Amino acid sequence: QVQLVESGGGLVQPGGSLRLSCAASRTIFSIVVMGWYRQAPGKQRELVAHITPSGNTVYADSVKGRFTISRDNAKNTVYLQMNSLQPEDTAVYYCNARHPVVPERYNTWGQGTQVTVSS
């Protein structure tokens, strides 16, 4: 188990940037896959990006070239740098930690942080 706390959400105009942070409370951070997911009103939760313990990354097609996920194992923190934000990026963004091979073994979520992109 690990406790995840997200921060950095807010209101931004189209074309703007935000950086989300997710801080983990446990020392197992370095061995889990960390991910960011988002859920817009009326839609299913979807993967935005994830990063493996070795630093490999996966991005949703909708955010490639605009978002960057990174992790700092020394600080037990994962980041999501979001550039060129558009209204369709508006959602609650959730931090996730899971076992790299068997998600059922370890899979936990943060409380979510609201990102609103509007003029």
Side-chain angles (χ1 to χ4, degrees):
Q1 285 274 46
V2 62
Q3 184 175 359
L4 305 176
V5 180
E6 301 109 326
S7 62
L11 175 65
V12 66
Q13 293 184 334
S17 298
L18 286 172
R19 188 184 72 164
L20 306 183
S21 299
C22 174
S25 63
R26 300 289 183 266
T27 58
I28 63 171
F29 178 85
S30 64
I31 66 171
V32 298
V33 176
M34 299 298 301
W36 288 97
Y37 293 72
R38 66 187 182 187
Q39 187 167 22
K43 294 187 176 182
Q44 296 285 94
R45 188 173 300 186
E46 65 176 353
L47 172 71
V48 177
H50 77 231
I51 184 166
T52 70
S54 61
N56 294 319
T57 58
V58 171
Y59 295 92
D61 288 342
S62 59
V63 307
K64 286 181 180 177
R66 299 189 297 123
F67 292 9
T68 302
I69 189 171
S70 61
R71 66 193 297 164
D72 186 337
N73 289 341
K75 296 182 178 179
N76 290 348
T77 301
V78 64
Y79 305 95
L80 184 69
Q81 178 66 46
M82 304 185 294
N83 299 325
S84 301
L85 284 162
Q86 300 300 315
E88 54 265 37
D89 297 314
T90 296
V92 177
Y93 284 70
Y94 296 91
C95 183
N96 171 258
R98 63 172 172 84
H99 189 277
V101 179
V102 186
E104 293 81 3
R105 181 182 298 182
Y106 186 89
N107 189 12
T108 191
W109 297 86
Q111 82 288 349
T113 185
Q114 177 71 47
V115 172
T116 302
V117 185
S118 177
S119 61

